[in-house]
Amino acid sequence: MLLLIAGSVAPVNPWLCLPFGAMILMIAIFPLFFGSFWHKYFGHIAIAMGGGMVLYYLLVLQNTHTPLHTLFEYVQFVSLIAALYFAANVIKVSVHHQGLPWINLSFLLGGAIISNFIGTTGASILLINPFLYLNKGRVKPFHVAFFIFMVSNVGGALTPIGDPPLFLGFLRGVPFFWSTQHLFLPWLVALIALSGIFFCLDRRELKKNPVRSSRDQREGSWISLSGKRSLPWLAIIIGSVFLDPNLSEHIPHFIYEGARVSYLREIIMIACAAGAYKTASPQVMAGGGFNFFPIREVALLFLGIFGTMMPALELIRHISGSPEVGNFLGPSVLYWTTGFLSGFLDNAPTYLTFLTASMASHQADVHQVSHVVNFALGDGLTDITLKCLKAISLSSVFFGAFTYVGNGPNLMISSIARAKGISMPSFFGYLFRFSIPFLLPVLFLIWYLFFVLI
């Protein structure tokens, strides 16, 4: 039925989704079979494919709205990722202990909590190097995979700062503490389940590859912080997240097609990134193995992803917004549909797409703050709209860990791990070795407990 709807009066030709599929497949396959070629030319390929789709929209479809809207989103995405990368990567967290299973688990749970205050991107960049050092000599790909699961994604479900989809909801009118109140129990269950799996895997690995020395242990404290001069930069970046004209009309902005647009936040973020880099201690940067490749890789690959996914997102909006489909957009359908698409598309626009469609199916307008508030709090008679938003929010955040491209930090963490000499799996290797056997059962448990039983 969906294909018939898509093929009938779709706003774009469904065949235009093929470049996005090709982009994902290249990210998945080329590093495995054409490693040296991909490492050298991935940027050229991403620019050509993303730029080619933009030119097609501008010159053939004569559509300027979609490319400009995508450009706004890409600039916002890259500015935040880059700012946090530079500000957090010049702060060095040193761990003076062995990577024992209970220590590793404590580290991951601490990172999951921190991600709600500095974002999953900030927490990931700040903590990945000390986590790898903590397990120096016995790091396995599953260590990095569970870091991505717990710190880079699931952990940030409690505040709008935590993950980009929730921040988009906050900008639209979802109350700031809504996610803390309504997502806490699923967040806790997911982290407990992932913790149990990780602890068993790490304990088994320790028996196979035991720690042989008591290196660098100090009495009194097993964590120290260097590069504190960069903390103010990081704080300014986090604070600037709220400089959005949709939150306050007093923020300098211009009007584009009836919407308020401002780049003040992005200018501040880039300025802070430059300030953090220029004022960072060379010793701290050298000790943390700072280099530009991870942020360059993420910026270029997501340029290709953002460009080629324009028709895919338009097609999803068209299908989900049709009356035939809108009637079926209950919490369970939203959970799995939003989730799996978040795993392969960027989870932020996927969240907004299905929030818009779900609200429309309940005669509500996502552009009206009062409508969003009522949708988030329930319709007054039943909690169906609240459960719909809960499904969209949980799945977009949790399923963001499903692939390397589901959420911004994933690809960066994988790149940092590879730069440290860790043999990270390919796109499909990560999917079949870790996401499907370990993450998917947890996602199924969350769905059953909170959308079937309750």
Side-chain angles (χ1 to χ4, degrees), residues 367-381:
H367 299 291
Q368 298 291 326
V369 173
S370 61
H371 288 198
V372 177
V373 172
N374 290 335
F375 190 82
L377 299 180
D379 59 13
L381 298 175

Side-chain angles (χ1 to χ4, degrees), residues 24-66:
I24 296 298
L25 283 175
M26 283 190 287
I27 293 173
I29 295 173
F30 276 36
L32 190 62
F33 297 103
F34 311 100
S36 58
F37 172 84
W38 179 251
H39 185 80
K40 187 175 182 180
Y41 293 108
F42 72 86
H44 300 77
I45 294 171
I47 292 172
M49 294 189 68
M53 183 61 70
V54 169
L55 289 176
Y56 183 84
Y57 265 74
L58 294 175
L59 302 179
V60 179
L61 300 180
Q62 296 185 342
N63 179 340
T64 58
H65 170 79
T66 302

Side-chain angles (χ1 to χ4, degrees), residues 252-266:
H253 63 275
F254 61 92
I255 303 297
Y256 173 71
E257 295 190 354
R260 298 172 185 168
V261 179
S262 172
Y263 280 112
L264 177 63
R265 173 177 55 197
E266 286 69 32

Side-chain angles (χ1 to χ4, degrees), residues 101-125:
W102 73 270
I103 293 290
N104 286 336
L105 183 56
S106 300
F107 196 97
L108 292 178
L109 290 173
I113 294 172
I114 291 172
S115 66
N116 291 289
F117 298 95
I118 63 172
T120 52
T121 301
S124 298
I125 296 168

Side-chain angles (χ1 to χ4, degrees), residues 277-297:
Y277 177 73
K278 290 294 184 180
T279 60
S281 166
Q283 292 78 15
V284 172
M285 294 178 67
F290 179 90
N291 69 86
F292 289 93
F293 181 79
I295 186 60
R296 175 175 171 267
E297 181 181 35

Side-chain angles (χ1 to χ4, degrees), residues 88-135:
N89 216 14
V90 295
I91 300 171
K92 183 181 177 184
V93 179
S94 302
V95 183
H96 315 292
H97 210 287
Q98 301 296 347
L100 302 174
W102 73 270
I103 293 290
N104 286 336
L105 183 56
S106 300
F107 196 97
L108 292 178
L109 290 173
I113 294 172
I114 291 172
S115 66
N116 291 289
F117 298 95
I118 63 172
T120 52
T121 301
S124 298
I125 296 168
L126 182 66
L127 299 176
I128 183 58
N129 284 321
F131 183 68
L132 297 179
Y133 181 79
L134 181 65
N135 294 278

Side-chain angles (χ1 to χ4, degrees), residues 71-371:
L71 176 63
F72 293 156
E73 291 182 339
Y74 176 76
V75 170
Q76 291 171 349
F77 169 82
V78 170
S79 297
L80 178 60
I81 291 283
L84 290 172
Y85 180 81
F86 282 99
N89 216 14
V90 295
I91 300 171
K92 183 181 177 184
V93 179
S94 302
V95 183
H96 315 292
H97 210 287
Q98 301 296 347
L100 302 174
W102 73 270
I103 293 290
N104 286 336
L105 183 56
S106 300
F107 196 97
L108 292 178
L109 290 173
I113 294 172
I114 291 172
S115 66
N116 291 289
F117 298 95
I118 63 172
T120 52
T121 301
S124 298
I125 296 168
L126 182 66
L127 299 176
I128 183 58
N129 284 321
F131 183 68
L132 297 179
Y133 181 79
L134 181 65
N135 294 278
K136 188 175 182 180
R138 72 175 201 95
V139 180
K140 298 297 179 183
F142 81 83
H143 286 102
V144 182
F146 274 82
F147 185 95
I148 291 174
F149 291 169
M150 299 173 70
V151 179
S152 304
N153 289 275
V154 173
L158 295 186
T159 71
I161 300 174
D163 217 40
L166 301 182
F167 184 69
L168 286 180
F170 171 65
L171 292 180
R172 295 290 179 176
V174 178
F176 186 89
F177 291 106
W178 181 92
S179 52
T180 309
Q181 179 182 356
H182 296 285
L183 305 185
F184 176 79
L185 196 54
W187 173 85
L188 184 63
V189 171
L191 284 180
I192 290 174
L194 289 170
S195 296
I197 298 170
F198 174 80
F199 188 82
C200 292
L201 291 174
D202 203 25
R203 190 174 181 183
R204 185 180 66 178
E205 173 59 29
L206 184 64
K207 291 179 180 178
K208 292 166 39 177
N209 185 19
V211 176
R212 294 183 173 83
S213 66
S214 57
R215 61 169 169 80
D216 197 21
Q217 296 191 40
R218 303 178 186 177
E219 294 183 2
S221 174
W222 53 279
I223 292 183
S224 61
L225 190 66
S226 304
K228 296 179 182 178
R229 67 180 71 172
S230 295
L231 288 175
W233 297 114
L234 183 61
I236 295 172
I237 292 169
I238 299 300
S240 69
V241 166
F242 297 96
L243 293 177
D244 192 284
N246 294 303
L247 297 178
S248 173
E249 62 181 15
H250 300 295
I251 295 172
H253 63 275
F254 61 92
I255 303 297
Y256 173 71
E257 295 190 354
R260 298 172 185 168
V261 179
S262 172
Y263 280 112
L264 177 63
R265 173 177 55 197
E266 286 69 32
I267 291 170
I268 292 174
M269 287 179 176
I270 297 302
C272 287
Y277 177 73
K278 290 294 184 180
T279 60
S281 166
Q283 292 78 15
V284 172
M285 294 178 67
F290 179 90
N291 69 86
F292 289 93
F293 181 79
I295 186 60
R296 175 175 171 267
E297 181 181 35
V298 168
L300 290 174
L301 287 181
F302 272 93
L303 179 64
I305 290 171
F306 270 71
T308 56
M309 79 178 181
M310 289 190 299
L313 280 175
E314 282 198 287
L315 196 60
I316 292 168
R317 292 188 189 106
H318 171 73
I319 294 172
S320 61
S322 66
E324 295 89 342
V325 176
N327 295 330
F328 295 97
L329 290 179
S332 290
V333 174
L334 286 168
Y335 179 83
W336 292 109
T337 307
T338 306
F340 277 116
L341 289 172
S342 291
F344 291 89
L345 299 169
D346 184 55
N347 60 356
T350 304
Y351 167 95
L352 193 55
T353 295
F354 281 95
L355 175 62
T356 303
S358 182
M359 289 186 63
S361 70
H362 289 87
Q363 293 76 50
D365 184 359
V366 74
H367 299 291
Q368 298 291 326
V369 173
S370 61
H371 288 198

